[in-house]
């Protein structure tokens, strides 16, 4: 049996209402499609937390900048539906842009503080697009639990913040980052890498791990960040937007001295045309 598919808010709500009438709990996994094992791990995690799992597939135009890859973003709904069915998803929600943003839509959700540095600084408007679409998706589906990947660590922090601030009644669960055997975080955008770039790409994760190890060995935040920046440049990365040690909840800057408190180390850099992000913690 093929995975059930709905394209409208009304149809999504009708399905969820029917499950609720049976007393079933609902989990939700938002995605932009081009699915890989990372996405499927979120679906599997959601299944352990809810009786029914909805996955959304929506390439959200408002979170792409004007010079970014919205048009080129890989799309293959039939393939994605097959993968989701195999992972135990119960319903695919794939709205059109006009369903999500009907004529006249004028409301934008802006998260301050945690959404401002790092990706917020490198991609102006990105988190407003993310926060707006996630708020809408959560309102449309009304799940008990929603699962997001730590791969997009700042996005997860932004969503935790907006759910708390807007009193959205959902539990947000963060899922660990799925990686290739060589350490590269799985990402739909890895498809853009040339064969040579794919060989260079695992250096991003290696540099972050080394940075964290050096920090835990007592080196200063300023020193480990400087060494990591050089290492990324030597590994062939261009336009390194940031490689920084931050507080894991607020994403505020730490340093410049040594620290033995909780940290998250985050980086974003380009290999050729592909922008990669990654993060590690302990
Ligand atoms: P995207 O389709 O890129 O918007 O991602 C949809 C969800 O999958 C987000 O919550 C991401 O953080 C998560 N995700 C993406 N890549 C991975 C990965 N390698 N491991 C775990 N989760 C991921």
């Amino acid at each position: 049996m093929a995975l059930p598919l709905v394209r409208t808010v009304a149809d999504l709500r009708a399905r969820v209402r029917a499950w609720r009438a049976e007393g079933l709990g609902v989990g939700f996994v938002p995605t932009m499609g081009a699915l890989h094992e990372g996405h499927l791990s979120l679906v599997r995690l959601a299944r352990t937390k809810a009786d029914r799992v909805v996955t959304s597939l929506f390439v959200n135009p408002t979170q792409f900048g004007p010079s970014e890859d919205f048009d080129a973003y890989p799309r293959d709904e039939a393939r994605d539906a097959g993968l989701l069915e195999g992972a135990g998803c119960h319903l695919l929600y794939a709205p059109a842009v006009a369903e999500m943003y009907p004529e006249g839509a004028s409301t934008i959700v802006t998260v301050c503080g945690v959404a401002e540095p790092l990706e917020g600084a490198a991609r102006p408007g990105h988190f407003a697009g993310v926060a707006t679409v996630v708020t809408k998706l959560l309102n449309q589906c009304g799940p008990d639990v929603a699962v997001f990947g730590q791969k997009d660590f700042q996005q997860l922090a932004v969503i935790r913040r907006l759910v708390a601030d807007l009193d959205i009644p959902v539990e947000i669960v963060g899922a660990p980052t799925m990686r290739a055997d060589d350490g590269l975080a799985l990402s739909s955008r890895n498809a853009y890498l040339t064969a040579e770039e794919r060989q260079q790409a695992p250096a991003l994760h290696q540099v972050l791990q080394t940075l964290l190890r050096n920090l835990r060995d007592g080196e200063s935040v300023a020193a480990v960040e400087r060494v990591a920046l050089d290492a990324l440049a030597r590994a062939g990365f261009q336009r390194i937007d940031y490689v920084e040690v931050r507080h894991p909840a607020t994403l505020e800057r730490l340093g410049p001295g040594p620290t033995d408190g909780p940290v998250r180390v985050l980086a974003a850099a380009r290999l050729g045309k592909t922008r990669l992000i990654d993060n590690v913690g302990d």
Side-chain angles (χ1 to χ4, degrees):
M1 203 187 76
L3 179 65
L5 164 70
V6 290
R7 296 198 186 275
T8 66
V9 178
D11 286 348
L12 172 63
R13 287 199 170 132
R15 297 279 185 151
V16 172
R17 214 180 303 119
W19 287 335
R20 294 270 180 232
E22 291 179 62
L24 299 172
V26 178
F28 183 50
V29 179
T31 82
M32 298 203 302
L35 301 183
H36 49 65
E37 262 312 303
H39 298 109
L40 302 181
S41 75
L42 307 191
V43 173
R44 293 189 193 105
L45 182 57
R47 281 211 55 164
T48 69
K49 303 202 170 275
D51 303 303
R52 294 290 179 270
V53 174
V54 180
T55 302
S56 64
L57 195 170
F58 181 65
V59 185
N60 175 35
T62 66
Q63 72 187 70
F64 289 77
S67 60
E68 293 184 355
D69 56 344
F70 175 70
D71 290 327
Y73 200 82
R75 291 166 171 88
D76 189 343
E77 187 180 292
R79 175 182 169 277
D80 289 345
L83 291 172
L84 287 171
E85 194 183 2
C89 175
H90 298 91
L91 179 66
L92 175 57
Y93 173 48
V97 171
E99 178 72 8
M100 197 58 85
Y101 299 110
E103 184 87 23
S106 311
T107 302
I108 295 170
V109 178
T110 304
V111 178
C112 302
V114 71
E116 288 168 12
L118 307 171
E119 291 300 284
R123 303 180 68 189
H126 170 66
F127 280 130
V130 169
T132 303
V133 81
V134 170
T135 301
K136 288 171 65 68
L137 288 165
L138 292 174
N139 282 337
Q140 292 168 353
C141 181
D144 302 294
V145 44
V147 183
F148 295 84
Q150 291 183 344
K151 156 80 177 14
D152 299 279
F153 193 83
Q154 189 179 12
Q155 171 174 281
L156 177 58
V158 167
I159 288 161
R160 287 192 194 284
R161 190 71 256 165
L162 88 83
V163 161
D165 291 349
L166 299 181
D167 305 301
I168 302 178
V170 63
E171 179 195 351
I172 301 299
V173 172
T177 301
M178 293 292 123
R179 300 179 180 280
D181 289 343
D182 58 12
L184 177 64
L186 300 182
S187 165
S188 307
R189 290 190 167 100
N190 291 350
Y192 301 151
L193 296 169
T194 65
E196 189 194 346
E197 289 162 356
R198 179 62 189 80
Q199 298 291 311
Q200 298 169 295
L204 180 58
H205 183 232
Q206 287 156 15
V207 166
L208 292 180
Q209 283 184 305
T210 303
L211 186 162
L212 186 58
R213 205 162 45 239
N214 292 341
L215 188 71
R216 290 318 186 200
D217 285 345
E219 291 182 32
S220 74
V221 168
V224 296
E225 286 179 347
R226 197 172 341 102
V227 168
L229 195 64
D230 288 349
L232 285 178
R234 263 185 285 111
F237 285 85
Q238 307 106 12
R239 291 183 57 191
I240 300 157
D241 285 332
Y242 56 84
V243 48
E244 289 182 10
V245 179
R246 295 262 173 171
H247 186 279
T250 64
L251 292 180
E252 279 164 4
R253 231 171 163 347
L254 297 176
T259 179
D260 54 11
V263 301
R264 199 80 192 178
V265 187
L266 306 99
R270 276 178 194 68
L271 267 182
K273 288 193 305 235
T274 310
R275 185 169 182 277
L276 299 178
I277 62 171
D278 202 352
N279 67 88
V280 298
D282 53 5

